[in-house]
Amino acid sequence: MKKILITGGAGFIGSHVVRLFVNKYPDYQIYNLDKLTYAGNLENLKDIEKSPNYHFIKGDIVDAKFIDKLFQENRFEGVIHLAAESHVDRSITDPLEFIYTNIVGTVNLLNAFKQVWKGDLDGKKFYHISTDEVYGTLGETGSFTEKTPYDPHSPYSASKASSDHLVRAYHDTFGLPVVISNCSNNYGPNQFPEKLLPLFIHNIKNNKPLPVYGKGLNTRDWLYVEDHASAIDLIFHRGKSGETYNIGGNNEWKNIDLILKLCGIMDKKLGRTPGTSEKLVTFVKDRAGHDLRYAIDSSKLQAELDWNPSVNFEQGLEKTVDWYLSNEAWLENVTSGDYQKYYEEQYGKREIREIRH
Ligand code: NAD
Ligand code: TYD
């Protein structure tokens, strides 16, 4: 395969996938299609932007005419589709944007791919990147397998579930060679500071309250972003058409335990007395429809494609903190302007339930 389209390549995970493919596969031409929403930032790709096999296209996957023309002109043999609205809290405030980008945008890509390759699908692949949140929520035990029925609760996860169903429908109905993966929470450099870890690193550094939803007892499984990128590489090349693969870190944390651990690392890095940063913990009104626990069984991926996470969580978390502390300009840049308004709307009026200390 030569011409590969990666959508959402200026975002958090997409930028790591683009970097991996551009550096690892000099024979491929990598096209990064991104609308550059608030979450997309070309700074994330500064180190590879001049590579001869890298091309950036600014555009919106919701624009069907534009997408059709792009595919007709470029005839991408492979698609890795990451572009999405990705933040649960934003989906609660403004669901419609999630419906357009995550559902309509995905169908536009499927239609354009189908139109260009009908009758000539050999060696082509459409890879859709999804989330473990489509499976809903778990109790204290158990984990999601590829056979767990879908049961999404937020507008974000419902829109991702819908797009997953449509991708499968295009496989079953039109014979498109598709593959889907569902991954747990990613962490690492370049994540927009509206998600838990970069937001809390930013707030701790600036001595701002840490808004913990509910009692902080919700559990997430955390995977270093480069390990997700390496799984995407494997699945893109060796994943079987029509199959789904779960990706996870086997690394579950209750939010409050993770936050206290982060506070400890930040105290050390900032030269603060141990226990200083955790005084910033503030319990606020819970997120509506907040899923209690996610846990991923990725044994299929391990058994069939021999994938395993390579980054140890202690090291990954320290590396992540170091990155944000030494990339202040990046953080300042993305937290100026619209971010201030978002923060005020999201947290300014959020009811405080308890301050920890
Ligand atoms: P992100 O929000 O950081 O990046 C999304 C990117 O998509 C941005 O660059 C944005 O500009 C672009 N985009 C948004 N709307 C677009 C449109 N209409 N047209 C073209 N580009 C558009 O997201 P992320 O965290 O990197 O997530 C990437 C993908 O991985 C998403 O599909 C998400 O559902 C999935 N995922 C994320 C996680 C996670 O923990 N972050 C976990 C599992 C799956
Ligand atoms: P988030 O990073 O938004 O990822 P997701 O909702 O997709 O799992 O949130 C991770 C967890 O942290 C989730 O249980 C919600 C919680 N959380 C807070 O307690 N406070 C916050 O300010 C944010 C953004 C998240």
Side-chain angles (χ1 to χ4, degrees):
M1 265 193 251
K2 291 281 186 247
K3 270 189 163 183
I4 295 172
L5 178 71
I6 299 181
T7 70
F12 168 46
I13 303 171
S15 61
H16 289 273
V17 175
V18 167
R19 176 175 302 102
L20 176 69
F21 273 68
V22 165
N23 289 335
K24 188 168 171 186
Y25 301 108
D27 291 352
Y28 293 175
Q29 294 300 318
I30 304 298
Y31 292 78
N32 171 15
L33 167 65
D34 200 296
K35 183 181 171 183
L36 300 182
T37 67
Y38 76 94
N41 187 349
L42 288 177
E43 287 254 330
N44 296 349
L45 292 165
K46 266 244 156 314
D47 54 323
I48 55 110
E49 69 184 2
K50 296 208 163 61
S51 305
N53 64 336
Y54 171 72
H55 315 270
F56 175 68
I57 305 157
K58 184 172 187 305
D60 187 346
I61 59 170
V62 178
D63 182 346
K65 274 201 184 122
F66 162 74
I67 293 294
D68 284 345
K69 189 157 171 278
L70 187 70
F71 272 74
Q72 273 150 24
E73 285 171 1
N74 291 284
R75 304 180 70 78
F76 305 112
E77 287 119 324
V79 176
I80 306 178
H81 173 36
L82 296 110
E85 287 292 335
S86 69
H87 189 41
V88 174
D89 291 325
R90 285 186 191 253
S91 84
I92 295 168
T93 320
D94 183 12
L96 207 50
E97 208 54 46
F98 287 69
I99 308 310
Y100 290 134
T101 289
N102 298 1
I103 306 177
V104 178
T106 301
V107 174
N108 286 340
L109 291 166
L110 288 164
N111 281 339
F113 183 82
K114 167 167 140 319
Q115 195 57 33
V116 165
W117 295 118
K118 60 177 177 231
D120 184 19
L121 288 163
D122 241 22
K124 316 296 183 306
K125 192 169 263 175
F126 188 104
Y127 180 6
H128 177 62
I129 308 297
S130 191
T131 164
D132 61 355
E133 304 191 23
V134 297
Y135 297 121
T137 186
L138 292 162
E140 290 297 319
T141 57
S143 51
F144 301 131
T145 74
E146 288 81 0
K147 297 214 169 355
T148 303
Y150 277 26
D151 183 24
H153 297 124
S154 72
Y156 164 65
S157 55
S159 69
K160 291 297 289 188
S162 173
S163 62
D164 292 10
H165 288 317
L166 285 156
V167 171
R168 284 195 193 96
Y170 272 64
H171 171 265
D172 297 348
T173 308
F174 305 113
L176 290 199
V178 307
V179 69
I180 299 178
S181 59
N182 298 81
C183 189
S184 60
N185 287 57
N186 284 214
Y187 71 100
N190 306 103
Q191 188 169 30
F192 194 79
E194 62 186 357
K195 306 276 169 69
L196 180 73
L197 281 170
L199 174 69
F200 279 30
I201 293 170
H202 182 61
N203 283 12
I204 294 171
K205 199 183 89 188
N206 294 299
N207 273 309
K208 285 174 69 174
L210 304 177
V212 179
Y213 297 162
K215 295 186 164 35
L217 298 178
N218 306 67
T219 299
R220 297 292 182 263
D221 169 71
W222 293 93
L223 179 70
Y224 193 67
V225 63
E226 286 177 1
D227 277 329
H228 188 187
S230 79
I232 289 174
D233 179 17
L234 267 183
I235 294 168
F236 180 68
H237 288 99
R238 293 180 32 216
K240 284 200 214 103
S241 177
E243 293 286 319
T244 295
Y245 298 87
N246 280 354
I247 312 173
N250 215 0
N251 178 38
E252 282 182 53
W253 286 83
K254 275 201 171 45
N255 288 343
I256 190 65
D257 295 338
L258 176 60
I259 291 158
L260 294 180
K261 185 176 183 62
L262 177 70
C263 288
I265 296 175
M266 291 293 286
D267 282 344
K268 202 171 71 184
K269 300 279 177 194
L270 297 171
R272 294 179 180 169
T273 312
T276 306
S277 298
E278 68 180 65
K279 297 207 174 85
L280 297 168
V281 166
T282 306
F283 294 96
V284 298
K285 187 171 183 290
D286 207 355
R287 174 187 277 172
H290 198 174
D291 287 333
L292 179 66
R293 176 171 165 262
Y294 304 142
I296 273 274
D297 176 348
S298 54
S299 53
K300 175 176 171 182
L301 181 61
Q302 287 163 10
E304 288 187 17
L305 302 185
D306 198 22
W307 174 87
N308 270 299
S310 70
V311 177
N312 155 296
F313 188 57
E314 310 286 318
Q315 289 162 2
L317 197 55
E318 281 223 18
K319 223 158 90 167
T320 301
V321 168
D322 287 340
W323 188 85
Y324 287 96
L325 292 181
S326 56
N327 284 276
E328 285 192 17
W330 184 92
L331 211 55
E332 292 313 321
N333 199 13
V334 299
T335 52
S336 60
D338 275 358
Y339 178 86
Q340 306 291 347
K341 202 168 134 242
Y342 163 79
Y343 200 85
E344 185 51 36
E345 276 168 14
Q346 200 51 244
Y347 296 104
K349 294 180 226 87
R350 206 168 189 122
E351 187 186 324
I352 295 176
R353 293 287 163 94
E354 187 190 335
I355 303 199
R356 204 180 137 78
H357 50 96

